[in-house]
Amino acid sequence: MALEWVILAYAVITLLIVLFCFTKVANPDEMVWGRVRIAAITLGLWVVYRFMPCKATELLRILIEMLLLAWWYQDTANINVLFPNLDPIVAHWDQMIFGFQPALVFAEKFTQPVLSEFLEISYAMYYPIILVVCVYYFWYRYKEFEKCCFIVTASFFTYYLIFDFIPVAGPMYYYPAIGMENVVKGIFPAISDKISHTALMKAPGWADGIGYQLITDIHGDERPTGAFPSSHVGITIVSLLLAIRSRSKKLILFVLPFCIGICFATVYIRAHYAIDAMTGLVSGIVLYVFWAWVANKQKIQTS
């Protein structure tokens, strides 16, 4: 399927980077074998489908690839350490545009439990939103199911390729690394060392809330990578546009509130700078239009 070719192409591109910089990346053997295993899984799923071509094996084939997206995201942290950290530049853009750091001020000004819970639950709904949209297409617009999954997957790997070469960890890692006194003064020094994934700011909001606990758990598993542009915002916009394309009012009404919430939540929980969210919104629209055009050009359709 087209989405599998996208995954394999990304695997090959990043494998060449790893082999070229073999002595400079951490755990290069693990990175190489990780790609070999995913290629083997992709081939194995294709073989299963060839022997049992049906909707169930097709769905399994796609869902497993999409479940591996989180692994690919974490993997970008192993590659982008090869390049200078760009958090000082992005933080300066926020300071220049707004006159302060929205990622710092937003959560301090709005402490209402209902608002914080809505924003944090919205952020935690990121992957479930994508899953719901894809499953909807599988059940109700089956002929466009593969096209839908291709657009989503191709958009993901476009962001991952950007993250490989543009290392921005985000405020929750960068602020503690430079000291809050510098952040308050609008001073954003460069950092030469790799940002530690353990030294991160606590999530804001209502500490007893479900959303707060979800965000705390999510942050515990994440690594400092891929903040610019915000793929959370971008992929959510892609999902919303796919929901609009489906013309299902129920699906649109399900996705839209969480989409709005995620756009603000990424800054509220300090995962992203405001400029990350803004570029995520714009890039999400651009990626949807581009990959939908590619899908139409290649006549991608579930048989």
Side-chain angles (χ1 to χ4, degrees):
M1 290 186 288
L3 67 90
E4 291 168 328
W5 285 113
V6 169
I7 295 167
L8 292 174
Y10 178 84
V12 169
I13 291 169
T14 52
L15 176 62
L16 292 174
I17 296 171
V18 173
L19 294 176
F20 187 75
C21 305
F22 199 82
T23 59
K24 296 180 181 179
V25 297
N27 304 317
D29 292 329
E30 183 180 329
M31 294 176 70
V32 170
W33 283 111
R35 283 156 174 77
V36 171
R37 284 193 294 271
I38 288 177
I41 289 169
T42 302
L43 179 61
L45 290 169
W46 175 78
V47 171
V48 170
Y49 180 77
R50 295 292 293 177
F51 278 103
M52 295 184 292
C54 62
K55 286 186 177 182
T57 52
E58 181 188 23
L59 181 63
L60 177 69
R61 191 174 168 186
I62 290 176
L63 285 181
I64 289 178
E65 295 289 7
M66 299 191 86
L67 286 172
L68 290 169
L69 288 171
W71 183 89
W72 284 114
Y73 173 73
Q74 300 286 13
D75 180 76
T76 61
N78 297 320
I79 297 175
N80 65 23
V81 291
L82 297 168
F83 306 97
N85 175 270
L86 300 178
D87 276 86
I89 295 173
V90 183
H92 176 71
W93 287 345
D94 262 18
Q95 192 75 23
M96 185 172 60
I97 294 169
F98 299 100
F100 60 90
Q101 290 293 291
L104 182 65
V105 175
F106 189 10
E108 292 178 349
K109 295 293 184 182
F110 297 93
T111 58
Q112 298 88 341
V114 173
L115 177 62
S116 68
E117 280 296 281
F118 167 67
L119 293 177
E120 289 172 340
I121 289 174
S122 294
Y123 189 87
M125 285 293 293
Y126 176 56
Y127 284 114
I129 287 170
I130 300 164
L131 178 62
V132 167
V133 170
C134 291
V135 170
Y136 177 88
Y137 269 81
F138 179 77
W139 285 111
Y140 298 105
R141 299 178 70 92
Y142 181 65
K143 284 193 174 182
E144 295 184 79
F145 172 60
E146 187 181 337
K147 182 188 293 185
C148 165
C149 295
F150 167 76
I151 292 169
V152 170
T153 305
S155 298
F156 261 110
F157 282 97
T158 303
Y159 281 119
Y160 293 167
L161 200 59
I162 294 170
F163 297 159
D164 287 334
F165 295 99
I166 303 180
V168 178
M172 70 170 135
Y173 296 104
Y174 178 62
Y175 288 172
I178 64 171
M180 295 307 296
E181 64 279 2
N182 283 326
V183 178
V184 173
K185 293 176 183 176
I187 301 172
F188 308 108
I191 46 177
S192 55
D193 298 329
K194 181 181 176 182
I195 295 180
S196 171
H197 72 280
T198 57
L200 72 163
M201 298 178 74
K202 276 188 173 183
W206 182 33
D208 295 326
I210 295 172
Y212 179 90
Q213 297 302 324
L214 288 171
I215 293 302
T216 301
D217 292 341
I218 290 170
H219 283 181
D221 295 331
E222 284 192 349
R223 297 176 67 185
T225 185
F228 177 86
S230 171
S231 60
H232 273 75
V233 173
I235 298 295
T236 306
I237 293 296
V238 169
S239 300
L240 176 61
L241 292 172
L242 283 166
I244 293 170
R245 179 190 180 95
S246 75
R247 298 180 182 176
S248 167
K249 291 182 180 178
K250 290 181 180 178
L251 185 61
I252 295 169
L253 290 174
F254 171 77
V255 174
L256 183 58
F258 293 122
C259 180
I260 295 170
I262 286 173
C263 288
F264 289 98
T266 54
V267 180
Y268 182 81
I269 67 171
R270 299 167 180 144
H272 294 275
Y273 304 97
I275 195 72
D276 297 341
M278 293 161 61
T279 52
L281 192 153
V282 174
S283 61
I285 296 171
V286 171
L287 288 177
Y288 171 81
V289 171
F290 175 74
W291 289 117
W293 175 79
V294 171
N296 291 331
K297 199 79 172 174
Q298 297 299 316
K299 297 181 181 179
I300 297 172
Q301 183 172 296
T302 311
S303 58

